[in-house]
Amino acid sequence: MEKLDFFAPRISADTKTFWEGCKEHKLEIQRCKKCGKLRWPAAFLCPDCLSSETEMQEMSGEGTLYSYVTFQKAFHPSVQDKVPYTVGVVEMEGGVRIISNIVDCEPEQLACNKKVKMKWMDCEEYTKPVFELVEEA
Ligand SMILES: [Zn+2]
């Protein structure tokens, strides 16, 4: 178990289902029942059609690195021993993008459009999806 207070999710009524799925190691993203668009983080209304009807869609965990930043300086005391660490925007099926840590790699290995896959990071109070690079043959 890893303790990362600064990274602890702020769980709301809208995002509760997502984080409960993570606890069970199920990556589920909210999908609009009316127009079918995936969205993350979960929200009460669809930003495209304003419908409030939603369902959860289980994701493959595969994606591509859309963008990323590697922090060389700790901007909060709780991450002092974590620097350098990388936060990325990962594009998954349906075009939905989620933000999380990119782990187990050196910053110089990273580039936009590289393939990544999700893995679970179990922390004391929550479980979160993080991503690692996929070895390209
Ligand atoms: Zn919609």
Side-chain angles (χ1 to χ4, degrees), residues 2-22:
E2 193 160 348
K3 189 166 180 69
L4 288 172
D5 287 341
F6 183 70
F7 294 119
R10 301 332 187 251
I11 299 172
S12 69
D14 293 323
T15 62
K16 188 170 182 257
T17 304
F18 172 80
W19 291 109
E20 285 175 350
C22 290

Side-chain angles (χ1 to χ4, degrees), residues 31-37 39 45-53:
R31 191 161 82 90
C32 176
K33 270 180 140 175
K34 188 174 174 197
C35 74
K37 286 221 173 136
R39 64 179 183 260
L45 290 175
C46 174
D48 292 289
C49 74
L50 303 180
S51 171
S52 62
E53 293 199 33

Side-chain angles (χ1 to χ4, degrees), residues 56-134:
M56 299 304 280
Q57 176 175 317
E58 190 157 3
M59 306 298 281
S60 69
E62 296 171 2
T64 57
L65 192 55
Y66 179 80
S67 184
Y68 63 95
V69 62
T70 299
F71 291 86
Q72 303 290 342
K73 178 182 175 183
F75 289 96
H76 188 274
S78 67
V79 295
Q80 188 65 50
D81 62 339
K82 303 293 180 205
V83 290
Y85 65 92
T86 299
V87 176
V89 179
V90 173
E91 187 164 299
M92 305 184 83
E93 61 260 42
V96 68
R97 294 175 187 158
I98 82 170
I99 299 170
S100 191
N101 292 99
I102 312 299
V103 299
D104 301 334
C105 64
E106 297 301 322
E108 52 274 6
Q109 293 175 278
L110 296 171
C112 291
N113 295 318
K114 278 202 168 182
K115 289 190 185 322
V116 292
K117 69 177 181 196
M118 191 271 309
K119 69 182 213 176
W120 296 107
M121 180 183 280
D122 292 307
C123 301
E124 279 182 24
E125 312 259 321
Y126 61 94
T127 295
K128 74 174 186 176
V130 296
F131 292 86
E132 61 185 359
L133 285 174
V134 172

